[in-house]
Amino acid sequence: MTRIGIKEIAAKADVSTATVSYVLNGTRNVKHKTRERVLRVIEELNYKPNDIAKSLKSRRTNTIGVIAEDVTVFNVPEIIDGINDFADRHDMHILLTNLRLHKRIGHNFDQLDDYRKYAENAVNELLSKQVEGIIYIGAHPRDLTGLIDTAGKPIIYTYCYTQNDPSIQYNDEQASFEAMSHLASQGHTRIAIISGIMNSLPSRLRFNGYYKAITEFQLPFDPQLIKLGDWEAESGYRLTQELLALDERPTAIVAMNDVMAVGVLRAASEAGVTIPHDLSVVGFDNREFSSYLIPQITTMDLPLHEMGFQAMDSLMCIIRGETPDPANHLPACKLIERDSVAPPARVM
C-alpha cells in the first residue's frame, strides 16, 4: 500500500508542499478556496499525519537546517541524499546552506578562524527561519568544537565532530580491519599500509584496525611497511617507490584513501610490478574513479547515505526529547571487491 504524504496531497490538489504544510499546521493564511481544496484532498486520501509531524506541529515549523561545508567534496552529496530520504519519508522540509569552504580555504580546514564567520552566518540565517534543528556536514573529519553556537537549537554533526555534541561517523577501525582481513584471507602476510596524516582521527583509527589485524592474524610486524602519507596521490606514488625498494617487498598495500591508491598504481606500473599478480592493492572511500582505473580498485565503501539518514533520525529523537540510539552513530563500511587483489604469487 502506497504511503500518503504531503507530496501526494500537493500533487492531487495542484498546490505546493509548503501550502499543504501551512494548511495542516495553520502557520500561515491560505486562500479560502485553496484551503478547502487541500482539505478535501486530505479527506479523500484519508491522510493521517505521522508522529514526527505531530510532534513538530507544536513547534511551528517542520523544517531542518543543513549546513554543508562544501557540496563539491565527494562525501557530501550522498550524505545530503540520506538526509532528504528521511525528510521525504516524514514530510519534512530541508533548508540547505553551502559554505563553499573548499573553494574559499582549500585544504586549510584546521584554521577555524579563517571560516568561522561563514559558519556563524549560516547558523544565524537558519535560526532566523525557525528551523527545528541543524545538521552540520563536514568536508573532512575533524574536531569543530567551538566553531558555532546554535543558541540552544539541537545540532548533529556528521563527517566531523565536536567534544560536546552528538555526531554520526563511519567505523574507520572496522573498515581498516576488514580490508586487512580480506588480504589475509587471500594468503598475504607481508602487508604494507600508507596512512593519511597521523594528526587526523580517521588515520589513527584506521591504523588501529591495521594493527588489530596484524595481532589477530599473527602477521609479521615490520615498521618498514608503515608509511605516513598526506591523502594526496603524490605521497602514494613516492611511498610505494620506497616500499618496492625494500629487500623484502610487501605483497599487498592498503592505501588509506583511493587518491593515494592512484599513486600506488602509478609507482607499480613504472617499476614493472603487475597488479594484482605481483602486488595487491586496497583503497578506501570508494571514490567514483576507483572503478575506472586499470585494474579496478578493491576499496572500502563509506556508508554516506546511511550517515545522513541516521543524522536526521538522531536529530528528531533529540527534538522529541528522546535519547538517540548510540548503536546508530557508527555505521559500518563495506568492502567492494574488484580486480586489484589476488593471492600472492610467491611467499616473500
Side-chain angles (χ1 to χ4, degrees):
M1 182 178 178
T2 303
R3 190 181 67 83
I4 302 301
I6 285 180
K7 286 188 174 183
E8 288 72 20
I9 295 169
K12 189 170 179 61
D14 195 24
V15 296
S16 68
T17 55
T19 297
V20 177
S21 181
Y22 299 150
V23 171
L24 287 170
N25 298 325
T27 52
R28 235 180 246 190
N29 290 328
V30 177
K31 289 181 180 180
H32 179 72
K33 288 185 178 179
T34 303
R35 178 182 175 83
E36 289 298 314
R37 186 164 75 250
V38 171
L39 289 174
R40 189 165 54 250
V41 170
I42 289 172
E43 185 176 354
E44 289 174 3
L45 296 178
N46 194 29
Y47 172 69
K48 300 265 191 317
N50 59 55
D51 290 340
I52 291 179
K54 288 177 181 177
S55 71
L56 287 177
K57 183 176 179 181
S58 62
R59 293 177 172 87
R60 298 184 307 278
T61 73
N62 214 15
T63 304
I64 298 299
V66 177
I67 300 174
E69 289 193 331
D70 200 308
V71 297
T72 66
V73 178
F74 85 96
N75 62 290
V76 176
E78 269 297 308
I79 293 178
I80 293 174
D81 189 60
I83 292 170
N84 280 322
D85 184 6
F86 187 98
D88 285 348
R89 297 188 193 192
H90 297 92
D91 296 328
M92 298 169 63
H93 308 297
I94 299 298
L95 290 180
L96 173 64
T97 298
N98 177 24
L99 299 185
R100 301 181 64 248
L101 289 192
H102 193 264
K103 299 291 193 303
R104 285 170 161 158
I105 66 169
H107 293 287
N108 300 316
F109 291 112
D110 58 336
Q111 306 297 323
L112 292 185
D113 290 337
D114 291 347
Y115 55 87
R116 188 185 306 277
K117 61 181 179 180
Y118 302 121
E120 289 177 344
N121 289 341
V123 169
N124 291 335
E125 177 69 16
L126 291 173
L127 293 179
S128 73
K129 295 177 179 177
Q130 298 186 353
V131 297
E132 306 298 340
I134 294 173
I135 295 175
Y136 191 102
I137 308 172
H140 176 67
R142 66 204 189 283
D143 189 346
L144 294 180
T145 301
L147 177 65
I148 55 177
D149 178 6
T150 61
K153 288 287 184 181
I155 183 168
I156 293 282
Y157 290 84
T158 185
Y159 216 82
C160 57
Y161 53 92
T162 74
Q163 296 175 23
N164 307 312
D165 304 290
S167 66
I168 308 295
Q169 310 300 325
Y170 53 88
N171 195 330
D172 278 293
E173 185 171 328
Q174 164 266 329
S176 179
F177 180 82
E178 189 168 337
M180 289 289 292
S181 299
H182 179 59
L183 290 169
S185 72
Q186 294 289 310
H188 293 278
T189 57
R190 194 162 173 78
I191 305 171
I193 187 168
I194 300 178
S195 81
I197 301 168
M198 285 311 288
N199 64 1
S200 158
L201 180 61
S203 288
R204 295 198 298 271
L205 291 173
R206 293 176 195 182
F207 182 80
N208 288 347
Y210 170 81
Y211 188 75
K212 179 181 177 182
I214 291 288
T215 303
E216 184 160 322
F217 298 116
Q218 298 183 329
L219 305 177
F221 181 74
D222 184 348
Q224 293 185 99
L225 299 180
I226 300 170
K227 299 294 183 179
L228 304 183
D230 61 6
W231 304 116
E232 300 299 329
E234 187 59 32
S235 68
Y237 170 74
R238 173 176 49 82
L239 296 172
T240 300
Q241 287 181 316
E242 294 179 10
L243 289 168
L244 295 179
L246 294 174
D247 291 336
E248 196 175 356
R249 290 178 173 179
T251 63
I253 295 176
V254 175
M256 284 195 179
N257 73 353
D258 290 340
V259 175
M260 291 192 297
V262 171
V264 176
L265 264 61
R266 177 184 161 209
S269 177
E270 289 184 3
V273 173
T274 302
I275 296 174
H277 182 268
D278 301 318
L279 179 70
S280 288
V281 179
V282 177
F284 208 110
D285 293 340
N286 194 24
R287 298 285 292 271
E288 184 178 8
F289 62 77
S290 64
S291 64
Y292 300 148
L293 298 171
I294 301 176
Q296 296 181 343
I297 295 296
T298 293
T299 185
M300 298 303 301
D301 183 49
L302 306 185
L304 300 174
H305 183 279
E306 184 178 355
M307 290 166 68
F309 193 94
Q310 293 297 347
M312 278 289 284
D313 188 38
S314 295
L315 184 59
M316 295 314 305
C317 282
I318 295 171
I319 289 172
R320 295 195 302 268
E322 302 169 3
T323 302
D325 185 354
N328 295 331
H329 287 191
L330 209 62
C333 300
K334 179 183 177 183
L335 178 71
I336 305 297
E337 296 186 48
R338 296 196 179 109
D339 304 328
S340 63
V341 173
R346 60 187 184 280
V347 178
M348 302 295 285

